Amino acid sequence: MATAAFETPKLKSYPVIPLVQAGAMSHLKPFIAPGPIQKPLNFPEQLVDDWQAKAIAKMGELLGKYRSLQVYMDACVHCGACSDKCHYFLGTGDPKNMPVARQDLMRKVYRRYFTVAGKYFPKLVGAVDLTREVLDEWFSYYHQCSECRRCSVFCPYGIDTAEVTMAAREIMDSIGMGQKYANEIIGKVHRIGNNLGIPGPALINTLEGLEEDTKDDTGFDIKFPLDVKGAEVLLITPSADFFSEPHVESLIGYAKVFHAAGISWTLSSHASEAGNFGMFIGNYEQMRNISMRVREAALELGVKRIVVGECGHAWRVAYSFWNTLIGPFDFLDQRYPVPQHICEVTDDLIQRGALTFDKEANDNRIITFHDSCNVARASRMGSMPGGQFVIPRRIITSVANNFHDMAPETIHESTFCCGGGGGLLTDDLMELRVKGALPRMEALKHVVDDHGVNFMATICAICKAQFTKVLPYYGFNMSMVGGVHQLVSKAIRLGDK
């Protein structure tokens, strides 16, 4: 599908808060999910006749179910601390992409129907009716939020815009106004087991091909096992890892790590997807159903631990939600954390001296690291505070000689989103994706100019897919992005150490 023409923002030598351009992105909306996509998810097939009443009722249900949402509706004092923190506002200048203004699209409706002042004196408190015009604004601007939570880091009240966005999307799904891209992907997982809709026979052929290619490349019989009962590790990885560039290079890296360490492992055809778009649409039933496939596969295969591959939101769902969605995990080996990230596994092996590397193998690369939002702001790794920042960088510096971080205000918990997360990685939102990537591209340009960086590592499938698409818009080579385990794969020594 051809995308509408738009102008790519110019990279600046220092951060600049843009001039406000009211309505600059009001034209941009994702495709609405048609009936055949909505029906299998038990969502209305089109906008229901009494949509307004049902939307308000759904909002009331969510306010009663999630105390945090009620607090977020009441607590904001419009201080403006979040206004210049959103990458979409910085890239577009649209004031409704300021987190406070995006929240207010819901907050104004909340005041109208759920506060005394809003019911009787709506104009005095900025309350508005939920009209079709307001609903259309919701559909546009709540799909211009990647749920990255950067604004929450800077909010003095800790208001989580991601939760507001998730609630708005759940309300819209409940009245038949779902997003085509996200809901279509969720349907594929329910039918087939992964986001990309790769059927079992194709997955088998792909893994057999990887075994042949890796044998040709290394001379070793590196296995990519599928549905092996009694394996120690069940690897749950994003389906992009099975064939897409550069993702597949990290899958090869995982396999080499397990091979070198003598750890038996397997993939599952039933749970061949780490990603979970149920979180993006705010629907815990969908998120649980997708996650349940992991539990079912682990029990069926009799594994001892579950390891998650390089996928940011997959790790957030696993780390933050699996315990309540699909736990307890008393059938797994209690010596290991549940879940475990592949970076934790590799780092532990490195620290114990179980892996060795030829760091010079990566000397053609001058590397930086992009902290993915859901890893940085919604998870942990290892036993130390901030382990999600330390461990990936420690792996990189163990397998490569040349590493430079981007500016401190653009990494760790303050990291900028890639611009394609939160269910926005679709061509109908390409303008938003390109403009939303601006802050990260500016930070990247600094280390390119100052240190000659030519490779940006990350541990998120969406980040990899987003950057390979948007890097050329800013004059960078799309091959600059790759995985941490892509670097591991290049440097690891197999066979006799």
Side-chain angles (χ1 to χ4, degrees), residues 360-376:
E360 292 74 17
N362 280 311
D363 276 356
N364 63 318
R365 291 175 169 139
I366 303 174
I367 303 158
T368 193
F369 182 71
H370 165 72
D371 291 288
S372 300
C373 305
N374 281 300
V375 177

Side-chain angles (χ1 to χ4, degrees), residues 460-471:
C460 176
I462 285 178
C463 292
K464 295 171 191 174
Q466 160 73 346
F467 285 134
T468 53
K469 200 69 176 278
V470 305
L471 279 167

Side-chain angles (χ1 to χ4, degrees), residues 324-335:
T324 52
L325 288 173
I326 60 173
F329 296 99
D330 48 2
F331 59 92
L332 296 174
D333 190 329
Q334 299 303 300
R335 293 176 298 172

Side-chain angles (χ1 to χ4, degrees), residues 32 47 51-52 129-137 177:
I32 294 177
L47 189 64
W51 64 266
Q52 185 188 55
D129 292 325
L130 181 56
T131 63
R132 182 55 195 265
E133 181 182 3
V134 170
L135 183 64
D136 286 341
E137 274 195 316
M177 204 168 179

Side-chain angles (χ1 to χ4, degrees), residues 145-367:
C145 170
S146 59
E147 303 173 3
C148 84
R149 306 171 79 237
R150 187 174 193 265
C151 52
S152 303
V153 173
F154 297 92
C155 175
Y157 293 95
I159 295 172
D160 191 343
T161 300
E163 284 201 29
V164 178
T165 293
M166 290 159 67
R169 292 182 185 178
E170 185 166 17
I171 291 168
M172 289 187 284
D173 267 318
S174 74
I175 59 173
M177 204 168 179
Q179 185 213 26
K180 177 180 182 291
Y181 171 69
N183 289 0
E184 185 174 28
I185 282 177
I186 292 171
K188 288 178 183 176
V189 178
H190 292 328
R191 292 195 317 273
I192 299 170
N194 57 69
N195 288 356
L196 298 181
I198 306 170
L203 182 56
I204 292 170
N205 289 340
T206 297
L207 297 175
E208 289 175 347
L210 283 175
E211 288 183 355
E212 294 172 4
D213 292 344
T214 309
K215 175 67 177 291
D216 291 341
D217 184 49
T218 67
F220 291 91
D221 290 313
I222 310 294
K223 298 301 182 183
F224 293 80
L226 182 67
D227 296 330
V228 175
K229 291 190 176 182
E232 179 179 346
V233 168
L234 170 61
L235 177 70
I236 306 295
T237 200
S239 52
D241 280 2
F242 297 130
F243 69 92
S244 297
E245 293 287 349
H247 314 261
V248 70
E249 300 295 338
S250 284
L251 177 59
I252 294 170
Y254 314 152
K256 289 180 178 178
V257 167
F258 290 134
H259 175 88
I263 298 172
S264 64
W265 68 289
T266 187
L267 296 157
S268 165
S269 58
H270 180 67
S272 53
E273 180 60 65
N276 194 323
F277 276 39
M279 185 186 73
F280 291 156
I281 66 170
N283 190 292
Y284 283 81
E285 180 182 357
Q286 297 297 333
M287 188 161 57
R288 183 179 186 276
N289 290 341
I290 293 169
S291 298
M292 188 58 69
R293 300 179 78 98
V294 176
R295 181 182 178 88
E296 292 165 353
L299 286 167
E300 170 65 22
L301 297 173
V303 298
K304 296 179 180 178
R305 49 178 167 152
I306 303 172
V307 174
V308 179
E310 293 182 356
C311 180
H313 81 276
W315 180 239
R316 178 184 180 185
V317 171
Y319 183 88
S320 301
F321 297 103
W322 270 5
N323 189 53
T324 52
L325 288 173
I326 60 173
F329 296 99
D330 48 2
F331 59 92
L332 296 174
D333 190 329
Q334 299 303 300
R335 293 176 298 172
Y336 300 99
V338 183
Q340 230 182 343
H341 195 279
I342 186 64
C343 283
E344 292 178 298
V345 174
T346 301
D347 180 65
D348 176 64
L349 291 168
I350 292 171
Q351 300 308 310
R352 291 194 284 111
L355 302 175
T356 57
F357 303 95
D358 291 322
K359 297 174 69 170
E360 292 74 17
N362 280 311
D363 276 356
N364 63 318
R365 291 175 169 139
I366 303 174
I367 303 158

Side-chain angles (χ1 to χ4, degrees), residues 88-99:
Y88 292 126
F89 172 66
L90 294 174
T92 68
D94 192 316
K96 287 180 180 173
N97 276 327
M98 294 178 180

Side-chain angles (χ1 to χ4, degrees), residues 444-467:
L444 175 61
K445 186 176 187 301
H446 279 293
V447 288
V448 169
D449 292 345
D450 295 346
H451 302 290
V453 162
N454 59 14
F455 190 84
M456 178 168 58
T458 186
I459 52 174
C460 176
I462 285 178
C463 292
K464 295 171 191 174
Q466 160 73 346
F467 285 134

